[in-house]
Amino acid sequence: MNVPAQIGNYRIERELGRGASSEVWQARHVYLDDYQVAIKVLMNHDRETIQRFKREAAIATRLHHPNIVRLYDYGQVSPFFYAVMELIEGESLQKELHERGHFDLPEACTIFSQMASALDYAHNLGVIHRDVSPANILIEKSSKRVLLTDFGIARDAGQPITVANAIMGTRGYHSPEHAQSAARVTHLSDIFSLGVVLYQM
């Protein structure tokens, strides 16, 4: 099933990436030619995936931090649900690590401190990311600003867990309690995952 050529006021231009259930596209405003965004389009339309996508949008709209990718809008162009997000011109930390192998200590600490700031902010709002990994960390090319993205399996600590025994996230970055079940994950699990990222850098 193909993504439509236009979503809302945005004309789809090129694919930026894809995951298990969604695709991310660069798009341009049809009236404001210089205004570009990233649009995440849900490709899987089963009920649980749609509910998770809605939860992601509801969580992301609360987060206003310079090191977290901003969510601007959310909607549906049948049958697709979509989220309009800040466009980051850069690469993922995963790709940078693949190309470079490792970072020198000062650069790694700069990335780490920006991610720690983003997580501290989210945790103070009761939001647990649950998938802190290089694939979900973006580095802006021009400014070297580092941003946390993809709150697709994030959890609001005030909400009940829907699937207690599920293990979600990226293998290799789970905390010991995360590897047992989703019910055990706390903000400390995110901190553990960030420590793994620092070690890898």
Side-chain angles (χ1 to χ4, degrees), residues 4-200:
Q6 183 172 326
I7 294 178
N9 286 323
Y10 298 95
R11 184 172 55 251
I12 300 298
E13 292 192 333
R14 68 184 180 95
E15 185 178 336
L16 298 174
R18 61 176 61 201
S21 61
S22 62
E23 297 177 359
V24 180
W25 292 78
Q26 181 174 323
R28 187 181 300 272
H29 199 283
V30 293
Y31 302 115
L32 306 173
D33 194 54
D34 291 333
Y35 189 60
Q36 297 181 75
V37 296
I39 298 185
K40 186 174 183 178
V41 182
L42 190 64
M43 306 303 291
N44 185 335
H45 302 135
D46 69 77
R47 177 174 292 186
E48 176 60 30
T49 304
I50 291 171
Q51 288 301 315
R52 188 176 295 128
F53 195 68
K54 287 180 178 178
R55 284 197 300 271
E56 176 184 7
I59 287 172
T61 195
R62 296 167 49 200
L63 304 175
H64 305 283
H65 188 278
N67 299 114
I68 296 176
V69 173
R70 288 289 306 275
L71 175 77
Y72 296 137
D73 199 4
Y74 172 86
Q76 182 182 16
V77 175
S78 188
F80 298 102
F81 288 87
Y82 67 89
V84 181
M85 303 179 297
E86 177 183 8
L87 176 65
I88 305 302
E89 298 282 1
E91 302 290 354
S92 70
L93 178 59
Q94 181 181 53
K95 185 172 181 179
E96 292 278 348
L97 281 167
H98 178 74
E99 292 175 353
R100 296 173 54 176
H102 67 278
F103 292 80
D104 60 38
L105 183 59
E107 192 174 6
C109 287
T110 297
I111 293 170
F112 175 83
S113 65
Q114 290 184 60
M115 282 298 91
S117 177
L119 286 174
D120 182 59
Y121 170 82
H123 293 162
N124 281 326
L125 292 178
V127 174
I128 304 166
H129 188 277
R130 299 204 296 182
D131 195 11
V132 178
S133 64
N136 292 329
I137 296 172
L138 303 179
I139 302 175
E140 194 169 42
K141 186 175 182 180
S142 59
S143 66
K144 300 302 180 184
R145 180 170 60 123
V146 183
L147 297 99
L148 181 63
T149 189
D150 198 349
F151 284 75
I153 61 169
R155 177 182 159 226
D156 187 324
Q159 298 297 318
I161 293 176
T162 54
V163 187
N165 294 322
I167 299 174
M168 296 177 285
T170 304
R171 288 185 179 181
Y173 299 91
H174 291 154
S175 63
E177 67 276 7
H178 192 161
Q180 295 175 32
S181 81
R184 290 179 168 269
V185 174
T186 71
H187 70 286
L188 299 176
S189 307
D190 280 349
I191 295 171
F192 181 98
S193 299
L194 182 59
V196 176
V197 173
L198 176 61
Y199 178 81
Q200 187 176 0

